[in-house]
Amino acid sequence: MASAIITGSARGIGAAIALRLAKDGFDIALNDISEKSFENNDIMERIKESGVKCEKYIADVSKADQVEAMVKSVKEDFGSIDVLVNNAGITRDGLLARMTEENYDLVISVNQKSVFNMMRYVVPVMMKQRSGRIINMSSVAGLHGNAGQFNYSASKAAIIGMTKSAAKELGSRGINVNAIAPGFISTPMTDALSDEQKKAIFDMIAMKRYGSVEEIAGVASFLAGKDSSYVTGQVIEISGGLSM
Ligand code: NAP
């Protein structure tokens, strides 16, 4: 059976993608930064209801040595790695003039370097298979910028460059690489925004509602499945018309 690894998948968008890919028939390798992320959480049981295999792997994806060990274990446990979803991400928002070097480096490391780390170790596996799908989680902030998110926007814009470069490099090897750029999706990450910030974003959304994690998972399912076999190097914005 084909398998998928989704980073940062204990909750939020990552968990919804894992559930959807399980419904699509993929065996699922979950990842998150700590065992605590999976506490009071029935994600593994819900995935197994689809009749697929599911294992969880604790690793900080910003750390190359932890990623190398995790990818080795996933390959041993599942036999192949057919889909990689680089979803793990954090925010440390603040105005540029007051942003600390620590918060700049942390966001670049977790959001951007993690994508390099994961692709660095998963791509050789996919190259041997001569097939694979990689889905990188960018953001509308990476496409258009966002005040108060200098570090986050930098990391998410870099992911677009990485996606296109890898798509050009790996297209002839049967590996498709695409990015998703969500707008405002209701998750613990966006719950942390102030009511004022939420209203400012809401006013810009053409569809006058926030997105759901399932609406991101549906597009991830398309990019992981056979109907997107001729789609690579693309960034799909899912934002209810926040920008166009
Ligand atoms: P979320 O609810 O905060 O979930 C992110 C998950 O990633 C958490 O389970 C978190 O674990 C995990 N994680 C954080 N650092 C990690 C690390 N170093 N290694 C492994 N796992 C790590 O966020 P979300 O809203 O679902 O967002 C998922 C992705 O979509 C992110 O890349 C985000 O930037 C992007 N995105 C989200 C929105 C939105 O509106 N929600 C919009 C645009 C883009 P812990 O919390 O346990 O540390």
mmCIF file of all heavy atoms in Angstrom, residues 204-209 215 239-242:
data_model
loop_
_atom_site.group_PDB
_atom_site.id
_atom_site.type_symbol
_atom_site.label_atom_id
_atom_site.label_comp_id
_atom_site.label_asym_id
_atom_site.label_seq_id
_atom_site.Cartn_x
_atom_site.Cartn_y
_atom_site.Cartn_z
ATOM 1 N N MET A 204 -11.386 41.253 4.266
ATOM 2 C CA MET A 204 -10.743 41.110 2.946
ATOM 3 C C MET A 204 -11.200 39.845 2.199
ATOM 4 O O MET A 204 -10.885 39.661 1.030
ATOM 5 C CB MET A 204 -9.225 41.063 3.115
ATOM 6 C CG MET A 204 -8.614 42.383 3.563
ATOM 7 S SD MET A 204 -6.820 42.346 3.432
ATOM 8 C CE MET A 204 -6.361 41.230 4.747
ATOM 9 N N ILE A 205 -11.908 38.944 2.893
ATOM 10 C CA ILE A 205 -12.261 37.649 2.280
ATOM 11 C C ILE A 205 -13.527 37.784 1.433
ATOM 12 O O ILE A 205 -14.595 38.135 1.958
ATOM 13 C CB ILE A 205 -12.456 36.555 3.372
ATOM 14 C CG1 ILE A 205 -11.166 36.396 4.196
ATOM 15 C CG2 ILE A 205 -12.865 35.229 2.740
ATOM 16 C CD1 ILE A 205 -11.306 35.487 5.410
ATOM 17 N N ALA A 206 -13.417 37.495 0.125
ATOM 18 C CA ALA A 206 -14.564 37.639 -0.780
ATOM 19 C C ALA A 206 -15.732 36.753 -0.344
ATOM 20 O O ALA A 206 -16.889 37.163 -0.422
ATOM 21 C CB ALA A 206 -14.147 37.287 -2.207
ATOM 22 N N MET A 207 -15.451 35.543 0.150
ATOM 23 C CA MET A 207 -16.519 34.599 0.492
ATOM 24 C C MET A 207 -17.120 34.848 1.873
ATOM 25 O O MET A 207 -18.059 34.158 2.277
ATOM 26 C CB MET A 207 -16.012 33.158 0.367
ATOM 27 C CG MET A 207 -15.670 32.808 -1.079
ATOM 28 S SD MET A 207 -15.116 31.113 -1.290
ATOM 29 C CE MET A 207 -16.668 30.251 -1.134
ATOM 30 N N LYS A 208 -16.573 35.832 2.595
ATOM 31 C CA LYS A 208 -17.104 36.246 3.908
ATOM 32 C C LYS A 208 -17.262 35.092 4.895
ATOM 33 O O LYS A 208 -18.279 34.961 5.596
ATOM 34 C CB LYS A 208 -18.441 37.001 3.745
ATOM 35 C CG LYS A 208 -18.250 38.350 3.060
ATOM 36 C CD LYS A 208 -17.369 39.300 3.865
ATOM 37 C CE LYS A 208 -16.817 40.446 3.038
ATOM 38 N NZ LYS A 208 -15.416 40.765 3.251
ATOM 39 N N ARG A 209 -16.263 34.226 4.933
ATOM 40 C CA ARG A 209 -16.165 33.201 5.983
ATOM 41 C C ARG A 209 -14.726 32.703 6.024
ATOM 42 O O ARG A 209 -13.989 32.847 5.031
ATOM 43 C CB ARG A 209 -17.126 32.028 5.734
ATOM 44 C CG ARG A 209 -16.825 31.203 4.504
ATOM 45 C CD ARG A 209 -17.711 29.961 4.439
ATOM 46 N NE ARG A 209 -17.457 29.180 3.233
ATOM 47 C CZ ARG A 209 -16.495 28.275 3.092
ATOM 48 N NH1 ARG A 209 -15.657 28.038 4.087
ATOM 49 N NH2 ARG A 209 -16.343 27.611 1.967
ATOM 50 N N GLU A 215 -11.118 21.849 4.001
ATOM 51 C CA GLU A 215 -10.997 22.463 2.671
ATOM 52 C C GLU A 215 -9.539 22.488 2.195
ATOM 53 O O GLU A 215 -9.268 22.476 0.995
ATOM 54 C CB GLU A 215 -11.620 23.866 2.676
ATOM 55 C CG GLU A 215 -13.143 23.770 2.739
ATOM 56 C CD GLU A 215 -13.840 25.100 2.950
ATOM 57 O OE1 GLU A 215 -13.443 25.868 3.841
ATOM 58 O OE2 GLU A 215 -14.811 25.376 2.218
ATOM 59 N N SER A 239 -8.141 30.470 -0.141
ATOM 60 C CA SER A 239 -8.330 31.604 0.766
ATOM 61 C C SER A 239 -9.716 32.236 0.663
ATOM 62 O O SER A 239 -9.922 33.317 1.221
ATOM 63 C CB SER A 239 -7.272 32.663 0.465
ATOM 64 O OG SER A 239 -7.525 33.239 -0.805
ATOM 65 N N GLY A 240 -10.643 31.604 -0.041
ATOM 66 C CA GLY A 240 -11.975 32.196 -0.197
ATOM 67 C C GLY A 240 -11.932 33.533 -0.923
ATOM 68 O O GLY A 240 -12.807 34.371 -0.732
ATOM 69 N N GLY A 241 -10.888 33.709 -1.745
ATOM 70 C CA GLY A 241 -10.784 34.961 -2.511
ATOM 71 C C GLY A 241 -10.225 36.106 -1.683
ATOM 72 O O GLY A 241 -10.588 37.266 -1.898
ATOM 73 N N LEU A 242 -9.330 35.798 -0.740
ATOM 74 C CA LEU A 242 -8.704 36.851 0.075
ATOM 75 C C LEU A 242 -7.860 37.772 -0.803
ATOM 76 O O LEU A 242 -7.771 38.966 -0.565
ATOM 77 C CB LEU A 242 -7.863 36.202 1.168
ATOM 78 C CG LEU A 242 -7.335 37.090 2.291
ATOM 79 C CD1 LEU A 242 -7.278 36.288 3.583
ATOM 80 C CD2 LEU A 242 -5.954 37.630 1.998
#
